[in-house]
Amino acid sequence: MAKHKSSKIRKGDTVEVISGKNRGRRGKVIKLLKKKDRVLVERVNLVKRHQKPTKTTQGGIVEKESGIHISNIALVCSKCDRGVKVAYKFHAGGEKVRICGRCGEELDV
Ligand SMILES: [Zn+2]
């Protein structure tokens, strides 16, 4: 499989929206939509959808996350308390880790 440039963002990351109408909002990445270069961020960019009633749900209008383009989000560095550019460094064992492009803090926990 080809390496994807969006791999700097991973599921479970806390990200900040850096452009668009949701700018400044933060949330956790709940899903990567790799083919579309988009991610779903928890409780951000919600869209209302009509859902038909089923045996288990009442139906009606539900709010669901809609994909945000990867170029519109940045990984949040807890030390800088803002969305930052991701850089990389290698541990002695050869392990590649993500670090904050601003302060150098390791972002992989
Ligand atoms: Zn930082």
Side-chain angles (χ1 to χ4, degrees):
M1 220 162 75
K3 266 203 169 174
H4 202 277
K5 64 175 190 278
S6 68
S7 63
K8 66 180 180 181
I9 300 291
R10 295 173 195 163
K11 192 176 169 183
D13 285 344
T14 298
V15 295
E16 184 169 308
V17 181
I18 53 172
S19 65
K21 65 181 161 78
N22 292 297
R23 187 172 163 171
R25 296 199 58 190
R26 284 184 194 178
K28 206 171 239 190
V29 174
I30 51 174
K31 196 174 185 183
L32 298 174
L33 310 172
K34 285 206 169 175
K35 278 181 188 164
K36 288 192 271 185
D37 283 344
R38 284 168 185 272
V39 298
L40 297 186
V41 182
E42 196 174 33
R43 304 303 298 163
V44 178
N45 203 28
L46 296 174
V47 290
K48 287 192 169 74
R49 284 192 184 141
H50 292 272
Q51 197 168 60
K52 283 177 185 168
T54 65
K55 279 177 188 166
T56 51
T57 63
Q58 269 201 323
I61 295 168
V62 292
E63 287 192 316
K64 284 191 84 175
E65 286 87 359
S66 178
I68 300 174
H69 197 267
I70 208 106
S71 65
N72 290 338
I73 59 168
L75 191 58
V76 170
C77 169
S78 55
K79 211 170 169 185
C80 298
D81 194 31
R82 51 174 275 182
V84 295
K85 272 194 174 158
V86 176
Y88 298 95
K89 78 170 185 185
F90 292 89
H91 279 170
E95 187 197 355
K96 190 180 180 185
V97 294
R98 296 178 301 173
I99 60 170
C100 169
R102 205 161 166 262
C103 73
E105 180 81 353
E106 282 189 25
L107 300 175
D108 288 328
V109 283

